[in-house]
Amino acid sequence: MRFAAWLLIGLLMWSYAPKMAWTTVIEPNDASSKRDLQQWHPHKDGVISLDGPWEFYWNRLIDPDDFDSISPGEASTVAIPAQWESYAIHEQALSNEGYATYRMKFTLSDEAALQPLGLYFNNVASAYRLWVNGLLMNGNGTVGTDTMSMVPRSYPKVYFFLPRSGNNEIVIQVSNFSQRTGGIWESIELGEADELASLHRNQVMVWGVVSGCLLVMAIFSVMLYLSRKQEHAALWFGLICLAICARSSLLGASYAYVLFPALSWEWGVKLEYLSEIVTILSIGAFVNKQYPLEANVRLFRLFVFALAGFGALVIVTTAKWYTQLMVPYVILLLLPVFLYVMYTYIRAAIRHRIGSRANMIGFFVFFATVIHEILYYTDFVPFGGSVSFGLLFFLITQLLNVSLHFTRAVNQSERLAAELNSLIASQEETIKERTTTLLTLNLQLEQGNQELIRIEHVRSTLLSEVYHDLSTPITAIKGFAKAMNNNVISEADAPQYAGRIYERSLMLEKLIDNVVELSQLQTGEIQLQMFEVPILPFLRQLSQRYAAESSAQGIELIWEEPTLLLPPTKELIVVLDHFRFERVFANLISNAIKYTPGEGHIRVWTELQFNEASEDGYIVIHVTDHGIGIAESDLPHIFKRNYRAHGQSRSGSGLGLAICTEIIAHHHGVIDVRSTIGEGSDFSIILAAKIRDYRADTNYFAEGGEYGYNHSAS
């Protein structure tokens, strides 16, 4: 409560503080400046605001024909929108009471003068008369030099005129002796006649829709109350909607003055204030009925007496007097009621009352628009009229809550039946969810069973394919052992046959290892350890390592550096499992040595495929020999399990290239071969690569240790 009191005092002092920082000082000049609009194209550029420069003649009502007798030094230059009290002549602030003449001279292009134009006047306080190019366009109200001679009238109007090519002139006489605001305090807009007429029509339509929605909600709420007299909240809600509907018709487009021409400006302003007072009191009463345990009825009664007293003042006095009290009225009377309502909603929300959170959010939006309106009427923001929209949002939330509350009260038995049906439905839903869960588990089990069947099929197929390779060494071992056991082989030949048994055992062991490895690769049991590896140093190292093995067979292994040289600050990176990749490399080198005649050579070389604008591409690693070659008919089958090209020996397991294919596939790469009989074969591996900045902390070991740093595991 102390915070609210200090807030009210601060706002009141702020509202009445001297506004010299916002005061516009104007000085007499030669009044020769004019607005150059020759570059303005109405159809293309749309509506513009005529904010200045305006010639300003204080306490003078000058007709267009009389300007010839006015000396240039009598005029001052001002900008609009602005209230008169924001002007100062010779450091003397003007009053909002008085009369003045505005004049603007502007030039138009030939193109702009070919079509009718329009002027849109919004709020001018509180009567004005308009001339365009010397032609009287009527105005709003009656301009006068004192209270008795003027008749206030203020609502938006559109005026249409035929412009001239070149110089044009607008003259506006304004007087105010009726309210606290004086002068042209909203922008005057210039544009095509059709566009401004449409703008005015749309504004009337928007405010008409707002008022229509409020009227419908008022009728609906009253019907709810008549159906169930105990619901007093619905009656207060209907009164809120009706009061705001009346106020909305007097604001914005102000179409109430058009619908009721006999309605005077004085009574229009009174109705505006009174409808606001009724709205605020109805909101307070509505909240008290909604949340009686959180409301403070004694405090609200104080607000009722205070606002009723101000309402009586509005009725018995003129707008000239009570509009001067608008700021204290808003801050000392309206704002406390808003804070009281907000306090009640917050207490209800803390106590988790039904609909309290939605009510609090809706009222918070409404409260924000009220603060904005206070700033608008105290001349701190350039536009207003948002209160009706904020209140409409608040009323929609309230209408939803009132409707729901009324429905719950009237249909209690139906609600209980609905709850029972909902409980039954929830049980059915639980059964459906559990059934769905069981079906999902069953599907997962079926998928797992299918995977097991696939794995078993892979293994059985693999075993059947290597059956003959397994039976051949086993048969040889059995035969040699039986011959030695039956003394068919002499003691002199026994060592030779024991050596053959040993060779067949090694062959059988290697074959079994290859079968297990290929099976694990195909079933996903082997998880590759992927690292980022600088590929060129790695290939160079592997080539050097296996060069000694090939030299022992009389075959030279040559590493060829790539033609594309990287700068010292860059390196080529491939993500791979270095151990498995070396397995592939060793197999290709071993095959090349096996099928290359003595004194031949094997080349290890690379190709790089990169886009100019990207650092991502591919590396193609070649192992090229000059051996016996592979027949063209065998090339499509060379990577299949247990396949041997025609004419090749069966000393191997026949699984090496199949294992290589699986390993490279796990690297998301491709292995391929091109070969010509009698000329040799070229095996190639294609892997994704990228160029990155050289890293001095990159570690790799010469003897098959971890190469590079961890990238990902697959």
Side-chain angles (χ1 to χ4, degrees), residues 202-224:
N202 291 341
Q203 187 179 27
V204 173
M205 184 182 301
V206 169
W207 283 94
V209 169
V210 171
S211 300
C213 292
L214 293 169
L215 185 59
V216 169
M217 286 192 288
I219 296 174
F220 176 75
S221 299
V222 172
M223 295 300 295
L224 285 178

Side-chain angles (χ1 to χ4, degrees), residues 114 232 678:
L114 293 176
H232 293 91

Side-chain angles (χ1 to χ4, degrees), residues 73-238:
E74 297 182 44
S76 302
T77 301
V78 299
I80 63 171
Q83 299 182 32
W84 285 336
E85 68 177 8
S86 67
Y87 297 150
I89 300 179
H90 301 301
E91 299 183 357
Q92 182 65 40
L94 303 184
S95 170
N96 273 340
E97 283 193 16
Y99 51 93
T101 301
Y102 295 81
R103 182 191 187 198
M104 171 179 278
K105 294 180 288 185
F106 59 95
T107 57
L108 293 175
S109 64
D110 295 340
E111 178 187 352
L114 293 176
Q115 52 195 330
L117 297 180
L119 289 170
Y120 185 83
F121 280 69
N122 201 343
N123 278 314
V124 179
S126 51
Y128 66 91
R129 186 162 43 185
L130 169 69
W131 288 268
V132 178
N133 292 330
L135 180 64
L136 179 62
M137 307 294 291
N138 203 346
N140 223 351
T142 302
V143 177
T145 57
D146 53 34
T147 305
M148 301 300 297
S149 61
M150 76 159 288
V151 177
R153 195 81 168 170
S154 180
Y155 59 87
K157 295 183 72 173
V158 181
Y159 302 94
F160 305 105
F161 67 96
L162 293 175
R164 300 171 181 169
S165 176
N167 294 326
N168 291 262
E169 179 188 62
I170 299 176
V171 177
I172 309 171
Q173 295 178 355
V174 182
S175 65
N176 175 59
F177 295 94
S178 304
Q179 61 165 320
R180 61 185 295 273
T181 303
I184 304 175
W185 59 295
E186 290 201 27
S187 295
I188 298 175
E189 296 178 328
L190 174 67
E192 285 186 321
D194 292 342
E195 186 173 2
L196 281 180
S198 177
L199 178 66
H200 182 62
R201 182 177 62 252
N202 291 341
Q203 187 179 27
V204 173
M205 184 182 301
V206 169
W207 283 94
V209 169
V210 171
S211 300
C213 292
L214 293 169
L215 185 59
V216 169
M217 286 192 288
I219 296 174
F220 176 75
S221 299
V222 172
M223 295 300 295
L224 285 178
Y225 171 74
L226 294 176
S227 299
R228 184 176 174 83
K229 297 293 182 66
Q230 296 88 339
E231 295 294 334
H232 293 91
L235 180 62
W236 287 114
F237 184 80

Side-chain angles (χ1 to χ4, degrees), residues 617-632:
Y618 296 91
I619 182 172
V620 185
I621 304 167
H622 294 270
V623 176
T624 306
D625 63 62
H626 296 279
I628 61 175
I630 303 171
E632 184 177 354

Side-chain angles (χ1 to χ4, degrees), residues 371-392:
I371 296 298
H372 180 270
E373 197 78 357
I374 293 174
L375 297 176
Y376 170 66
Y377 280 112
T378 52
D379 203 21
F380 284 95
V381 294
F383 63 93
S386 59
V387 169
S388 295
F389 296 97
L391 186 57
L392 179 61

Side-chain angles (χ1 to χ4, degrees), residues 386-604:
S386 59
V387 169
S388 295
F389 296 97
L391 186 57
L392 179 61
F393 178 80
F394 168 68
L395 292 180
I396 290 174
T397 60
Q398 300 306 309
L399 181 62
L400 292 175
N401 282 327
V402 169
S403 301
L404 291 175
H405 179 71
F406 187 84
T407 302
R408 285 193 298 268
V410 174
N411 302 311
Q412 182 71 14
S413 60
E414 294 182 4
R415 184 181 63 83
L416 293 175
E419 289 180 357
L420 180 59
N421 292 333
S422 176
L423 179 61
I424 296 174
S426 65
Q427 295 298 324
E428 293 178 352
E429 187 65 26
T430 302
I431 295 173
K432 290 180 181 179
E433 290 177 359
R434 292 180 179 178
T435 303
T436 303
T437 302
L438 291 174
L439 291 175
T440 303
L441 292 174
N442 185 54
L443 180 60
Q444 292 175 352
L445 289 173
E446 185 177 353
Q447 291 175 346
N449 185 47
Q450 293 296 326
E451 181 66 14
L452 290 174
I453 293 174
R454 186 190 67 82
I455 293 173
E456 182 61 27
H457 176 71
V458 169
R459 289 180 174 174
S460 61
T461 302
L462 186 62
L463 289 175
S464 64
E465 289 178 351
V466 300
Y467 170 74
H468 295 291
D469 289 315
L470 289 171
S471 61
T472 299
I474 291 174
T475 302
I477 291 172
K478 287 170 60 179
F480 293 146
K482 184 176 182 180
M484 294 176 65
N485 188 49
N486 294 333
N487 296 322
V488 175
I489 299 174
S490 63
E491 293 183 3
D493 295 331
Q496 177 182 357
Y497 283 93
R500 292 181 180 178
I501 291 175
Y502 179 71
E503 291 176 358
R504 298 299 189 277
S505 299
L506 292 178
M507 178 179 176
L508 181 61
E509 182 181 10
K510 183 178 181 181
L511 178 61
I512 293 173
D513 290 341
N514 286 341
V515 170
V516 172
E517 182 178 10
L518 182 58
S519 174
Q520 291 176 337
L521 285 170
Q522 291 181 333
T523 57
E525 296 179 32
I526 292 180
Q527 299 294 319
L528 273 63
Q529 301 298 316
M530 307 297 283
F531 296 87
E532 286 188 347
V533 177
I535 189 62
L536 296 180
F538 183 51
L539 292 174
R540 188 184 305 115
Q541 181 193 65
L542 290 179
S543 300
Q544 293 172 358
R545 182 182 302 171
Y546 287 92
E549 179 180 338
S550 62
S551 297
Q553 303 294 326
I555 298 172
E556 182 182 10
L557 192 152
I558 303 171
W559 160 252
E560 296 183 2
E561 292 289 340
T563 56
L564 175 62
L565 298 178
L566 297 175
T569 59
K570 299 289 184 178
E571 60 182 352
L572 189 64
I573 296 298
V574 173
V575 178
L576 52 78
D577 182 323
H578 73 279
F579 178 77
R580 297 293 173 183
F581 182 82
E582 184 175 346
R583 175 87 160 82
V584 175
F585 185 86
N587 188 280
L588 296 181
I589 295 297
S590 176
N591 287 344
I593 293 173
K594 184 185 302 182
Y595 298 110
T596 299
E599 299 182 358
H601 64 273
I602 302 170
R603 295 168 52 221
V604 179

